[in-house]
Protein backbone atom coordinates (compact mmCIF):
# COMPACT_ATOMS: atom_id res chain seq x y z
CA UNK A 1 0.00 0.00 0.00
CA UNK A 2 1.43 3.38 -1.02
CA UNK A 3 1.67 6.34 1.37
CA UNK A 4 -1.05 8.19 -0.56
CA UNK A 5 -3.34 5.16 -0.36
CA UNK A 6 -2.60 4.86 3.37
CA UNK A 7 -3.55 8.48 4.06
CA UNK A 8 -6.58 8.02 1.81
CA UNK A 9 -7.66 5.10 3.98
CA UNK A 10 -7.13 7.17 7.13
CA UNK A 11 -9.17 10.01 5.62
CA UNK A 12 -12.08 7.75 4.72
CA UNK A 13 -11.78 6.00 8.07
CA UNK A 14 -12.08 9.31 9.91
CA UNK A 15 -15.19 10.23 7.93
CA UNK A 16 -16.79 6.89 8.65
CA UNK A 17 -15.72 7.20 12.29
CA UNK A 18 -18.46 9.85 12.56
CA UNK A 19 -20.86 7.37 10.98
CA UNK A 20 -19.69 4.68 13.40
CA UNK A 21 -20.29 6.98 16.38
CA UNK A 22 -23.80 7.66 15.08
CA UNK A 23 -24.49 3.95 14.58
CA UNK A 24 -23.05 3.26 18.03
CA UNK A 25 -25.67 5.54 19.58
CA UNK A 26 -28.63 4.02 17.76
CA UNK A 27 -27.68 0.34 17.78
CA UNK A 28 -25.64 0.00 20.97
CA UNK A 29 -26.73 2.82 23.29
CA UNK A 30 -30.43 2.96 22.41
CA UNK A 31 -30.84 -0.57 21.01
CA UNK A 32 -32.73 1.03 18.09
CA UNK A 33 -32.19 -0.71 14.71
CA UNK A 34 -31.91 2.35 12.48
CA UNK A 35 -31.55 2.30 8.70
CA UNK A 36 -32.08 6.05 8.36
CA UNK A 37 -28.30 6.35 7.93
CA UNK A 38 -28.50 5.41 4.25
CA UNK A 39 -30.63 8.51 3.71
CA UNK A 40 -29.16 10.93 6.25
CA UNK A 41 -25.59 10.47 4.96
CA UNK A 42 -26.37 11.87 1.47
CA UNK A 43 -28.79 14.36 3.09
CA UNK A 44 -25.85 15.96 4.88
CA UNK A 45 -23.93 16.04 1.61
CA UNK A 46 -26.65 17.68 -0.50
CA UNK A 47 -27.59 20.21 2.19
CA UNK A 48 -23.92 21.20 2.43
CA UNK A 49 -23.67 21.53 -1.37
CA UNK A 50 -26.79 23.69 -1.64
CA UNK A 51 -25.78 25.91 1.30
CA UNK A 52 -22.28 26.47 -0.11
CA UNK A 53 -23.84 27.19 -3.50
CA UNK A 54 -25.90 29.92 -1.85
CA UNK A 55 -22.75 31.52 -0.44
CA UNK A 56 -22.78 30.12 3.08
CA UNK A 57 -19.51 29.61 4.94
CA UNK A 58 -18.48 25.92 4.52
CA UNK A 59 -18.09 25.43 8.27
CA UNK A 60 -21.65 26.64 8.82
CA UNK A 61 -22.78 24.56 5.84
CA UNK A 62 -21.40 21.46 7.60
CA UNK A 63 -23.46 22.34 10.66
CA UNK A 64 -26.52 22.84 8.44
CA UNK A 65 -25.99 19.37 6.97
CA UNK A 66 -25.68 17.88 10.46
CA UNK A 67 -28.86 19.70 11.55
CA UNK A 68 -30.74 18.28 8.57
CA UNK A 69 -29.60 14.78 9.52
CA UNK A 70 -30.71 15.38 13.09
CA UNK A 71 -34.18 16.32 11.80
CA UNK A 72 -34.31 13.04 9.87
CA UNK A 73 -33.45 11.17 13.07
CA UNK A 74 -36.20 13.03 14.94
CA UNK A 75 -38.75 11.97 12.31
CA UNK A 76 -37.69 8.33 12.62
CA UNK A 77 -37.96 8.48 16.41
CA UNK A 78 -41.33 10.26 16.21
CA UNK A 79 -42.76 7.53 13.98
CA UNK A 80 -41.68 5.02 16.60
CA UNK A 81 -42.60 6.72 19.88
CA UNK A 82 -45.73 8.60 18.74
CA UNK A 83 -47.22 6.43 16.00
CA UNK A 84 -45.97 3.17 17.55
CA UNK A 85 -44.35 2.00 14.31
CA UNK A 86 -41.66 -0.64 14.79
CA UNK A 87 -38.16 0.93 14.92
CA UNK A 88 -36.84 -0.95 11.89
CA UNK A 89 -39.91 -0.15 9.79
CA UNK A 90 -39.90 3.50 10.89
CA UNK A 91 -36.29 3.89 9.81
CA UNK A 92 -36.94 2.18 6.46
CA UNK A 93 -39.85 4.55 5.78
CA UNK A 94 -37.70 7.61 6.51
CA UNK A 95 -34.79 6.22 4.49
CA UNK A 96 -37.04 5.71 1.46
CA UNK A 97 -38.66 9.13 1.88
CA UNK A 98 -35.28 10.83 2.16
CA UNK A 99 -34.36 9.81 -1.39
CA UNK A 100 -37.18 11.99 -2.70
CA UNK A 101 -36.38 14.72 -0.18
CA UNK A 102 -32.75 14.75 -1.29
CA UNK A 103 -33.82 14.99 -4.93
CA UNK A 104 -36.04 17.94 -4.02
CA UNK A 105 -33.11 19.66 -2.31
CA UNK A 106 -30.84 19.17 -5.33
CA UNK A 107 -33.52 20.30 -7.78
CA UNK A 108 -33.96 16.87 -9.32
CA UNK A 109 -30.33 16.06 -10.12
CA UNK A 110 -28.71 13.05 -8.39
CA UNK A 111 -25.28 14.68 -8.26
CA UNK A 112 -24.10 18.18 -7.36
CA UNK A 113 -20.47 18.97 -8.32
CA UNK A 114 -18.28 20.72 -5.74
CA UNK A 115 -15.03 20.93 -7.68
CA UNK A 116 -14.58 24.71 -7.39
CA UNK A 117 -16.73 25.20 -4.29
CA UNK A 118 -15.14 26.34 -1.01
CA UNK A 119 -14.68 23.68 1.66
CA UNK A 120 -13.44 23.42 5.23
CA UNK A 121 -10.07 22.41 3.73
CA UNK A 122 -9.69 25.39 1.38
CA UNK A 123 -7.73 27.62 3.76
CA UNK A 124 -5.28 24.87 4.72
CA UNK A 125 -4.50 23.11 1.43
CA UNK A 126 -1.63 24.54 -0.61
CA UNK A 127 -2.31 25.98 -4.08
CA UNK A 128 -0.49 23.05 -5.71
CA UNK A 129 -2.32 20.52 -3.48
CA UNK A 130 1.04 19.14 -2.31
CA UNK A 131 -0.13 18.82 1.31
CA UNK A 132 -3.71 17.75 0.59
CA UNK A 133 -3.07 14.06 1.30
CA UNK A 134 -2.29 14.72 4.97
CA UNK A 135 -4.06 18.03 5.69
CA UNK A 136 -7.55 16.71 4.90
CA UNK A 137 -7.29 13.68 7.23
CA UNK A 138 -5.93 15.95 9.97
CA UNK A 139 -8.87 18.36 9.74
CA UNK A 140 -11.39 15.53 9.63
CA UNK A 141 -9.65 14.02 12.66
CA UNK A 142 -10.35 17.31 14.44
CA UNK A 143 -14.09 16.85 13.80
CA UNK A 144 -13.88 13.28 15.10
CA UNK A 145 -11.98 14.23 18.26
CA UNK A 146 -14.45 17.01 19.07
CA UNK A 147 -17.41 14.67 18.46
CA UNK A 148 -15.88 11.97 20.67
CA UNK A 149 -15.08 14.35 23.53
CA UNK A 150 -18.59 15.82 23.43
CA UNK A 151 -20.15 12.34 23.44
CA UNK A 152 -17.91 11.21 26.32
CA UNK A 153 -19.00 14.27 28.29
CA UNK A 154 -22.68 13.94 27.35
CA UNK A 155 -23.02 10.26 28.25
CA UNK A 156 -21.69 11.01 31.73
CA UNK A 157 -24.29 13.72 32.35
CA UNK A 158 -27.67 13.02 33.93
CA UNK A 159 -29.38 13.13 30.54
CA UNK A 160 -26.76 10.90 28.95
CA UNK A 161 -27.04 8.34 31.74
CA UNK A 162 -30.83 8.41 31.33
CA UNK A 163 -30.39 7.72 27.62
CA UNK A 164 -28.08 4.80 28.33
CA UNK A 165 -30.59 3.43 30.85
CA UNK A 166 -33.33 3.71 28.22
CA UNK A 167 -31.34 1.54 25.86
CA UNK A 168 -30.54 -1.07 28.51
CA UNK A 169 -34.08 -1.41 29.89
CA UNK A 170 -36.69 1.11 28.76
CA UNK A 171 -39.38 -0.22 31.08
CA UNK A 172 -37.19 0.00 34.15
CA UNK A 173 -35.93 3.45 33.13
CA UNK A 174 -39.50 4.68 32.70
CA UNK A 175 -40.44 3.38 36.16
CA UNK A 176 -37.56 5.45 37.55
CA UNK A 177 -39.01 8.62 36.05
CA UNK A 178 -36.95 8.76 32.84
CA UNK A 179 -38.78 10.28 29.85
CA UNK A 180 -37.80 7.41 27.56
CA UNK A 181 -39.59 8.82 24.51
CA UNK A 182 -37.62 12.05 24.74
CA UNK A 183 -34.39 10.09 25.20
CA UNK A 184 -35.06 8.11 22.02
CA UNK A 185 -35.83 11.28 20.04
CA UNK A 186 -32.71 13.03 21.34
CA UNK A 187 -30.49 10.01 20.76
CA UNK A 188 -31.71 9.51 17.21
CA UNK A 189 -31.18 13.20 16.49
CA UNK A 190 -27.57 13.04 17.69
CA UNK A 191 -26.97 9.77 15.83
CA UNK A 192 -28.18 10.96 12.45
CA UNK A 193 -26.65 14.40 12.94
CA UNK A 194 -23.22 12.79 13.21
CA UNK A 195 -23.90 10.59 10.18
CA UNK A 196 -25.02 13.59 8.11
CA UNK A 197 -21.90 15.50 9.19
CA UNK A 198 -19.88 12.59 7.85
CA UNK A 199 -21.80 12.90 4.59
CA UNK A 200 -21.01 16.61 4.34
CA UNK A 201 -17.29 15.96 4.84
CA UNK A 202 -17.38 13.04 2.39
CA UNK A 203 -18.85 15.30 -0.31
CA UNK A 204 -15.98 17.75 0.17
CA UNK A 205 -13.31 15.05 -0.15
CA UNK A 206 -14.86 13.52 -3.29
CA UNK A 207 -15.78 16.82 -4.95
CA UNK A 208 -19.48 16.07 -5.35
CA UNK A 209 -22.66 15.46 -3.38
CA UNK A 210 -24.03 12.21 -4.78
CA UNK A 211 -27.31 10.60 -3.70
CA UNK A 212 -25.76 7.18 -4.26
CA UNK A 213 -23.10 7.86 -1.62
CA UNK A 214 -25.47 6.70 1.09
CA UNK A 215 -25.85 3.16 -0.23
CA UNK A 216 -24.47 0.73 2.35
CA UNK A 217 -23.72 3.42 4.95
CA UNK A 218 -25.40 1.48 7.74
CA UNK A 219 -23.43 -1.67 6.87
CA UNK A 220 -20.16 0.27 6.98
CA UNK A 221 -21.10 1.82 10.32
CA UNK A 222 -22.03 -1.56 11.79
CA UNK A 223 -18.82 -3.12 10.46
CA UNK A 224 -16.78 -0.37 12.14
CA UNK A 225 -18.60 -0.78 15.46
CA UNK A 226 -18.27 -4.57 15.45
CA UNK A 227 -14.59 -4.51 14.47
CA UNK A 228 -13.90 -1.89 17.13
CA UNK A 229 -15.68 -3.90 19.82
CA UNK A 230 -13.55 -6.92 19.00
CA UNK A 231 -10.34 -4.91 19.07
CA UNK A 232 -11.16 -2.92 22.21
CA UNK A 233 -13.85 -4.46 24.37
CA UNK A 234 -14.93 -2.30 27.31
CA UNK A 235 -17.96 -1.04 29.22
CA UNK A 236 -16.49 2.43 29.82
CA UNK A 237 -18.04 5.00 27.49
CA UNK A 238 -14.65 6.63 26.81
CA UNK A 239 -13.30 3.34 25.44
CA UNK A 240 -16.57 2.42 23.71
CA UNK A 241 -16.49 5.57 21.58
CA UNK A 242 -12.77 5.09 20.97
CA UNK A 243 -13.38 1.52 19.79
CA UNK A 244 -15.90 2.75 17.19
CA UNK A 245 -13.34 5.23 15.82
CA UNK A 246 -10.58 2.62 15.73
CA UNK A 247 -12.93 0.15 14.07
CA UNK A 248 -13.78 2.63 11.30
CA UNK A 249 -10.12 3.38 10.59
CA UNK A 250 -9.13 -0.31 10.59
CA UNK A 251 -12.07 -1.13 8.35
CA UNK A 252 -11.14 1.47 5.74
CA UNK A 253 -7.46 0.47 5.84
CA UNK A 254 -8.49 -3.14 5.23
CA UNK A 255 -10.61 -2.00 2.29
CA UNK A 256 -7.70 0.03 0.88
CA UNK A 257 -5.38 -2.96 1.28
CA UNK A 258 -7.85 -5.33 -0.38
CA UNK A 259 -8.40 -3.03 -3.35
CA UNK A 260 -4.71 -2.20 -3.75
CA UNK A 261 -3.19 -5.63 -3.15
CA UNK A 262 -1.52 -7.01 -6.28
CA UNK A 263 -2.29 -10.64 -5.41
CA UNK A 264 -5.98 -9.96 -4.89
CA UNK A 265 -6.04 -7.96 -8.12
CA UNK A 266 -4.45 -10.90 -9.94
CA UNK A 267 -7.31 -13.18 -8.86
CA UNK A 268 -9.95 -10.73 -10.05
CA UNK A 269 -10.68 -8.38 -7.13
CA UNK A 270 -11.76 -4.98 -8.48
CA UNK A 271 -12.93 -1.64 -6.99
CA UNK A 272 -16.44 -2.63 -8.06
CA UNK A 273 -16.24 -5.43 -5.47
CA UNK A 274 -16.30 -2.92 -2.59
CA UNK A 275 -19.71 -3.98 -1.28
CA UNK A 276 -18.75 -7.66 -1.51
CA UNK A 277 -15.55 -7.01 0.46
CA UNK A 278 -17.57 -5.06 3.03
CA UNK A 279 -19.99 -7.97 3.47
CA UNK A 280 -17.11 -10.43 3.91
CA UNK A 281 -15.46 -8.18 6.53
CA UNK A 282 -18.74 -7.90 8.46
CA UNK A 283 -19.14 -11.69 8.45
CA UNK A 284 -15.57 -12.12 9.73
CA UNK A 285 -16.11 -9.46 12.40
CA UNK A 286 -19.31 -11.18 13.56
CA UNK A 287 -17.50 -14.50 13.81
CA UNK A 288 -14.52 -13.14 15.76
CA UNK A 289 -16.15 -13.35 19.24
CA UNK A 290 -17.02 -17.01 18.68
CA UNK A 291 -13.51 -17.74 17.41
CA UNK A 292 -12.05 -16.05 20.51
CA UNK A 293 -14.27 -18.12 22.84
CA UNK A 294 -13.31 -21.32 21.03
CA UNK A 295 -9.60 -20.52 21.38
CA UNK A 296 -10.02 -19.76 25.11
CA UNK A 297 -11.79 -23.08 25.64
CA UNK A 298 -8.93 -24.90 23.92
CA UNK A 299 -6.36 -23.12 26.07
CA UNK A 300 -8.17 -23.94 29.33
CA UNK A 301 -8.87 -27.57 28.39
Amino acid sequence: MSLIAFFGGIEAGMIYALVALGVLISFRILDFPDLTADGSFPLGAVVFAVCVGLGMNPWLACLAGAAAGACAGVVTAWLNVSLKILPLLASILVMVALYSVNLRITGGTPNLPLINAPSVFSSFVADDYSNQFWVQPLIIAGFVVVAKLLLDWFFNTKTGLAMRATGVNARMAKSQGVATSKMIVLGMAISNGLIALGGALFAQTTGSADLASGIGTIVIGLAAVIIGENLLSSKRIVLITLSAIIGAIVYRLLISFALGNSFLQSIGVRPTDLNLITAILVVIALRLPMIKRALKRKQTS
Side-chain angles (χ1 to χ4, degrees):
M1 186 189 304
S2 67
L3 185 62
I4 299 296
F6 174 77
F7 276 103
I10 295 293
E11 179 181 287
M14 285 295 176
I15 290 174
Y16 283 106
L18 293 170
V19 174
L21 289 173
V23 171
L24 177 73
I25 294 170
S26 58
F27 275 84
R28 288 291 186 257
I29 304 295
L30 287 175
D31 194 24
F32 192 111
D34 180 32
L35 301 185
T36 313
D38 282 22
S40 57
F41 188 82
L43 175 63
V46 298
V47 168
F48 170 85
V50 171
C51 288
V52 167
L54 294 174
M56 183 181 289
N57 181 282
W59 295 88
L60 294 178
C62 282
L63 294 179
C71 291
V74 168
V75 173
T76 299
W78 177 79
L79 290 176
N80 172 242
V81 300
S82 296
L83 302 187
K84 306 303 178 185
I85 298 175
L86 292 174
L88 186 61
L89 181 56
S91 66
I92 291 174
L93 290 172
V94 175
M95 177 189 69
V96 172
L98 280 176
Y99 186 81
S100 296
V101 171
N102 290 338
L103 276 176
R104 283 273 185 175
I105 294 172
T106 62
T109 177
N111 186 291
L112 290 177
L114 293 169
I115 300 299
N116 296 317
S119 70
V120 295
F121 315 117
S122 300
S123 301
F124 305 95
V125 175
D127 293 337
D128 60 355
Y129 302 101
S130 58
N131 63 346
Q132 184 180 28
F133 74 97
W134 64 266
V135 166
Q136 289 189 179
L138 188 61
I139 294 173
I140 297 171
F143 279 92
V144 175
V145 169
V146 170
K148 176 190 162 29
L149 293 176
L150 288 175
L151 287 178
D152 292 343
W153 166 79
F154 172 74
F155 283 118
N156 282 296
T157 63
K158 184 177 180 180
T159 303
L161 292 171
M163 186 180 295
R164 293 164 67 180
T166 299
V168 173
N169 191 325
R171 184 175 296 179
M172 178 64 72
K174 194 170 186 178
S175 68
Q176 298 297 318
V178 175
T180 55
S181 296
K182 291 182 179 179
M183 292 300 104
I184 293 173
V185 172
L186 177 60
M188 292 297 291
I190 297 172
S191 171
N192 284 278
L194 287 170
I195 294 169
L197 177 60
L201 293 172
F202 183 79
Q204 295 171 72
T205 59
T206 58
S208 68
D210 196 326
L211 297 191
S213 64
I215 298 174
T217 300
I218 189 62
V219 177
I220 296 172
L222 278 174
V225 170
I226 294 168
I227 292 172
E229 286 176 345
N230 282 283
L231 293 175
L232 183 62
S233 180
S234 176
K235 292 184 179 181
R236 293 180 59 194
I237 194 66
V238 173
L239 296 179
I240 290 173
T241 53
L242 179 61
S243 70
I245 295 170
I246 292 173
I249 296 172
V250 170
Y251 163 79
R252 286 305 308 185
L253 287 176
L254 288 173
I255 291 291
S256 298
F257 173 79
L259 295 179
N261 184 268
S262 57
F263 171 74
L264 292 176
Q265 289 178 353
S266 68
I267 62 175
V269 176
R270 299 289 181 267
T272 52
D273 297 324
L274 177 61
N275 288 341
L276 175 61
I277 296 171
T278 297
I280 293 172
L281 286 175
V282 172
V283 171
I284 294 172
L286 288 171
R287 289 291 300 174
L288 278 177
M290 288 172 272
I291 295 172
K292 285 182 178 179
R293 286 194 293 268
L295 290 174
K296 285 182 180 179
R297 283 196 297 268
K298 286 183 179 180
Q299 290 175 353
T300 54
S301 61

